Short mmCIF file of all heavy atoms in Angstrom, two decimals:
data_model
loop_
_atom_site.label_atom_id
_atom_site.label_comp_id
_atom_site.label_asym_id
_atom_site.label_seq_id
_atom_site.Cartn_x
_atom_site.Cartn_y
_atom_site.Cartn_z
N ARG A 236 2.42 -19.04 2.31
CA ARG A 236 1.63 -19.98 1.36
C ARG A 236 0.17 -19.79 1.46
O ARG A 236 -0.59 -19.72 0.45
CB ARG A 236 2.04 -21.39 1.62
CG ARG A 236 3.39 -21.78 1.29
CD ARG A 236 3.44 -22.57 0.00
NE ARG A 236 4.84 -22.85 -0.28
CZ ARG A 236 5.62 -22.19 -1.14
NH1 ARG A 236 5.06 -21.16 -1.83
NH2 ARG A 236 6.81 -22.44 -1.37
N GLU A 238 -1.53 -17.00 2.29
CA GLU A 238 -1.86 -15.80 1.72
C GLU A 238 -1.66 -15.88 0.16
O GLU A 238 -2.53 -15.37 -0.63
CB GLU A 238 -1.09 -14.63 2.23
CG GLU A 238 -1.35 -13.30 1.63
CD GLU A 238 -2.81 -12.78 1.76
OE1 GLU A 238 -3.49 -13.25 2.64
OE2 GLU A 238 -3.24 -11.91 0.93
N LEU A 239 -0.62 -16.40 -0.27
CA LEU A 239 -0.32 -16.65 -1.69
C LEU A 239 -1.39 -17.45 -2.41
O LEU A 239 -1.84 -17.10 -3.48
CB LEU A 239 1.07 -17.25 -1.88
CG LEU A 239 1.59 -17.41 -3.36
CD1 LEU A 239 1.63 -16.02 -3.97
CD2 LEU A 239 2.83 -18.12 -3.32
N ASN A 240 -1.82 -18.47 -1.76
CA ASN A 240 -2.91 -19.27 -2.30
C ASN A 240 -4.20 -18.53 -2.56
O ASN A 240 -4.96 -18.68 -3.50
CB ASN A 240 -3.16 -20.58 -1.48
CG ASN A 240 -2.09 -21.58 -1.60
OD1 ASN A 240 -1.42 -21.63 -2.66
ND2 ASN A 240 -1.94 -22.45 -0.67
N ARG A 241 -4.44 -17.57 -1.57
CA ARG A 241 -5.66 -16.71 -1.64
C ARG A 241 -5.53 -15.75 -2.89
O ARG A 241 -6.44 -15.58 -3.63
CB ARG A 241 -5.95 -15.97 -0.42
CG ARG A 241 -6.50 -16.81 0.71
CD ARG A 241 -6.93 -15.94 1.92
NE ARG A 241 -5.84 -15.43 2.67
CZ ARG A 241 -5.23 -16.05 3.72
NH1 ARG A 241 -5.66 -17.32 3.99
NH2 ARG A 241 -4.28 -15.54 4.35
N VAL A 242 -4.33 -15.21 -3.02
CA VAL A 242 -4.00 -14.31 -4.13
C VAL A 242 -4.17 -15.00 -5.46
O VAL A 242 -4.76 -14.53 -6.42
CB VAL A 242 -2.63 -13.65 -4.01
CG1 VAL A 242 -2.27 -12.93 -5.26
CG2 VAL A 242 -2.56 -12.75 -2.80
N LYS A 243 -3.53 -16.24 -5.58
CA LYS A 243 -3.64 -17.02 -6.83
C LYS A 243 -5.08 -17.37 -7.20
O LYS A 243 -5.43 -17.27 -8.29
CB LYS A 243 -2.70 -18.27 -6.75
CG LYS A 243 -1.25 -17.82 -6.72
CD LYS A 243 -0.29 -19.00 -6.79
CE LYS A 243 -0.67 -20.33 -6.21
NZ LYS A 243 0.42 -21.28 -6.22
N ALA A 244 -5.87 -17.73 -6.15
CA ALA A 244 -7.26 -18.11 -6.34
C ALA A 244 -8.03 -16.86 -6.90
O ALA A 244 -8.87 -17.02 -7.84
CB ALA A 244 -7.82 -18.65 -5.11
N LEU A 245 -7.71 -15.74 -6.30
CA LEU A 245 -8.44 -14.47 -6.73
C LEU A 245 -8.12 -14.17 -8.19
O LEU A 245 -9.02 -13.95 -9.01
CB LEU A 245 -7.99 -13.34 -5.87
CG LEU A 245 -8.32 -11.90 -6.29
CD1 LEU A 245 -9.89 -11.71 -6.09
CD2 LEU A 245 -7.58 -10.88 -5.54
N LEU A 246 -6.86 -14.29 -8.58
CA LEU A 246 -6.47 -14.02 -9.97
C LEU A 246 -7.09 -14.98 -10.93
O LEU A 246 -7.57 -14.68 -12.02
CB LEU A 246 -4.97 -13.97 -10.11
CG LEU A 246 -4.22 -12.85 -9.40
CD1 LEU A 246 -2.71 -13.02 -9.45
CD2 LEU A 246 -4.69 -11.49 -9.91
N ARG A 247 -7.12 -16.27 -10.56
CA ARG A 247 -7.66 -17.36 -11.38
C ARG A 247 -9.13 -17.24 -11.56
O ARG A 247 -9.73 -17.25 -12.62
CB ARG A 247 -7.22 -18.68 -10.85
CG ARG A 247 -5.83 -19.07 -11.12
CD ARG A 247 -5.57 -20.43 -10.52
NE ARG A 247 -4.16 -20.75 -10.72
CZ ARG A 247 -3.34 -21.27 -9.77
NH1 ARG A 247 -3.83 -21.68 -8.59
NH2 ARG A 247 -2.10 -21.58 -10.00
N GLU A 248 -9.88 -17.15 -10.32
CA GLU A 248 -11.34 -17.24 -10.39
C GLU A 248 -11.96 -16.03 -10.76
O GLU A 248 -13.02 -16.05 -11.45
CB GLU A 248 -11.78 -17.71 -8.97
CG GLU A 248 -11.32 -19.16 -8.67
CD GLU A 248 -11.48 -19.51 -7.18
OE1 GLU A 248 -12.12 -18.84 -6.50
OE2 GLU A 248 -10.90 -20.56 -6.80
N ALA A 252 -7.15 -15.33 -14.98
CA ALA A 252 -5.80 -15.28 -15.37
C ALA A 252 -5.14 -16.63 -15.09
O ALA A 252 -5.59 -17.32 -14.16
CB ALA A 252 -5.07 -14.19 -14.56
N VAL A 254 -1.88 -18.34 -13.47
CA VAL A 254 -0.93 -18.03 -12.44
C VAL A 254 -0.02 -19.08 -12.06
O VAL A 254 -0.48 -20.26 -11.87
CB VAL A 254 -1.63 -17.49 -11.19
CG1 VAL A 254 -0.72 -16.94 -10.16
CG2 VAL A 254 -2.75 -16.44 -11.55
N ALA A 255 1.23 -18.83 -11.88
CA ALA A 255 2.25 -19.87 -11.40
C ALA A 255 3.27 -19.10 -10.52
O ALA A 255 3.79 -18.00 -10.97
CB ALA A 255 2.87 -20.57 -12.46
N GLU A 256 3.68 -19.68 -9.42
CA GLU A 256 4.78 -19.18 -8.63
C GLU A 256 6.11 -19.62 -9.39
O GLU A 256 6.23 -20.67 -9.65
CB GLU A 256 4.76 -19.69 -7.22
CG GLU A 256 5.77 -19.01 -6.38
CD GLU A 256 5.77 -19.44 -4.89
OE1 GLU A 256 5.10 -20.48 -4.62
OE2 GLU A 256 6.38 -18.73 -4.03
N SER A 266 7.61 -13.54 -2.96
CA SER A 266 7.15 -14.43 -3.99
C SER A 266 7.18 -13.76 -5.34
O SER A 266 6.94 -12.52 -5.43
CB SER A 266 5.73 -15.03 -3.73
OG SER A 266 5.30 -15.94 -4.74
N LEU A 268 5.43 -14.34 -9.11
CA LEU A 268 4.42 -14.95 -9.93
C LEU A 268 4.52 -14.61 -11.39
O LEU A 268 4.88 -13.52 -11.70
CB LEU A 268 3.00 -14.56 -9.43
CG LEU A 268 2.63 -14.86 -7.95
CD1 LEU A 268 1.19 -14.29 -7.76
CD2 LEU A 268 2.66 -16.25 -7.71
#
Side-chain angles (χ1 to χ4, degrees):
R236 292 255 178 259
E238 178 63 19
L239 185 60
N240 285 337
R241 286 190 286 276
V242 170
K243 291 186 330 185
L245 170 70
L246 294 174
R247 286 180 182 136
E248 295 166 13
V254 183
E256 185 177 17
S266 181
L268 300 177

